[in-house]
Amino acid sequence: MTTVEKQLLASPRNLRYILTVAILVLGLFAWSLTAVNFADVNKGGLQISFNIIKGIVNPDLDLLLNVSKQSVLYLLVQTLAIAFMGTIVGAVLSVPLAFLAASNIVPKPAAWLTRLLLIVIRTIPALVYGLMFIRVSGPGPFAGVLTIGITSVGMLAKLYVDAIEELDTRVLESMTSIGCTTFEKIRYGIFPQLLSVFMSVTIYRFDMNMREASILGLVGAGGVGAPLIFAMNSYKWNQVGSLLIGLVVLILLIELLSNKLRSKLIKG
């Protein structure tokens, strides 16, 4: 018997705690089942499911492969542009907010107020922002960019704050002792420590924003979402299949690329 096995066997077993947690989980699961309604699952519903699968397997190739403004390719490029521009806007806005929310940079009252603002930003769903900006700027990609930008701020600023609060302050102290200016301390002391982390977080958020951008089209904020919901409401399942295939391929490519970039940044 190895040392690890002996330690496992010797560790105390709190059976009462495990049993209590198991009962609570099972109770919550049973209670959740009461909200599931199988009455609507009839032959009509099964036929619709079959039609959806049939449409995905037999997509509209003309919609998928041509290059008009109604094609899948154009809509995916528009969705990509919305996600990219929204991520850039969110990243730029997040940097000053992150420094204002870092308790090791600014006084704690100011940091807590900024963090409260970030919590409020994160609390509001993306679709609500989308509906608000559509009223301001009208339906279209610009509303999608503004929505993606604001929703990105909540997450990016929070992760930026974590990186700022983990700064090695000894570097800044040594730079102060040799008479460096504030700009020089930011340029040569803070910026090199934060750049790779900021870039990694921003790339990860862009990956998430691709999914957000495709959903925002449902409320008229541009991209592939609106044509997708129109095709579903019209029961044009072959068009639904074309849109979904294009969206899945694009998101997979972006995820592979973002993972490679993030791994290089972390190793670097």
Side-chain angles (χ1 to χ4, degrees):
M1 185 179 293
T2 64
T3 306
V4 175
E5 289 175 339
K6 289 180 181 178
Q7 289 178 349
L8 286 172
L9 292 173
S11 61
R13 287 181 172 79
N14 195 341
L15 294 177
R16 183 181 296 177
Y17 172 76
I18 295 172
L19 186 62
T20 303
V21 172
I23 291 171
L24 284 173
V25 171
L26 289 173
L28 288 171
F29 180 74
W31 176 64
S32 300
L33 285 177
T34 60
V36 179
N37 184 13
F38 292 99
D40 295 331
V41 182
N42 49 31
K43 290 184 178 179
L46 293 174
Q47 183 62 40
I48 291 173
S49 301
F50 175 75
N51 290 336
I52 293 171
I53 296 170
K54 184 178 177 182
I56 293 172
V57 175
N58 300 289
D60 185 345
L61 294 178
D62 182 56
L63 182 68
L64 187 62
L65 300 177
N66 71 36
V67 291
S68 67
K69 286 193 174 183
Q70 286 75 37
S71 67
V72 174
L73 182 61
Y74 178 85
L75 294 170
L76 291 177
V77 170
Q78 188 181 74
T79 304
L80 180 64
I82 291 170
F84 180 77
M85 287 300 300
T87 305
I88 296 298
V89 170
V92 171
L93 293 176
S94 296
V95 172
L97 288 172
F99 278 99
L100 288 172
S103 57
N104 61 336
I105 302 292
V106 300
K108 286 189 177 181
W112 281 111
L113 284 174
T114 310
R115 290 191 182 204
L116 180 62
L117 173 64
L118 295 176
I119 290 170
V120 172
I121 292 172
R122 285 199 303 272
T123 302
I124 302 174
L127 289 176
V128 175
Y129 281 120
L131 292 170
M132 289 167 56
F133 284 122
I134 283 170
R135 293 294 182 183
V136 174
S137 63
F142 184 59
V145 171
L146 294 177
T147 303
I148 292 294
I150 293 298
T151 53
S152 298
V153 167
M155 173 189 165
L156 289 176
K158 182 180 183 300
L159 296 176
Y160 288 176
V161 169
D162 294 339
I164 292 168
E165 291 185 338
E166 292 176 2
L167 279 173
D168 185 0
T169 56
R170 292 174 299 177
V171 175
L172 302 179
E173 292 170 0
S174 62
M175 293 180 73
T176 304
S177 66
I178 61 174
C180 290
T181 63
T182 302
F183 175 77
E184 288 172 336
K185 285 189 284 186
I186 293 172
R187 171 64 182 85
Y188 299 106
I190 294 177
F191 192 69
Q193 294 187 63
L194 297 177
L195 180 60
S196 61
V197 178
F198 279 16
M199 289 294 294
S200 176
V201 170
T202 304
I203 292 169
Y204 177 64
R205 181 65 208 187
F206 170 68
D207 192 9
M208 295 176 62
N209 282 342
M210 269 304 302
R211 296 164 179 80
E212 292 273 1
S214 60
I215 295 170
L216 285 174
L218 301 177
V219 295
V224 75
L228 181 60
I229 196 68
F230 291 153
M232 291 177 70
N233 290 336
S234 304
Y235 301 102
K236 297 177 180 178
W237 302 118
N238 57 340
Q239 294 185 10
V240 173
S242 300
L243 292 165
L244 288 178
I245 288 170
L247 192 58
V248 168
V249 170
L250 180 62
I251 289 176
L252 284 175
L253 290 174
I254 290 172
E255 187 162 349
L256 289 172
L257 181 61
S258 65
N259 286 340
K260 286 185 177 180
L261 289 173
R262 290 177 66 233
S263 63
K264 286 183 179 180
L265 286 168
I266 292 170
K267 289 177 182 177

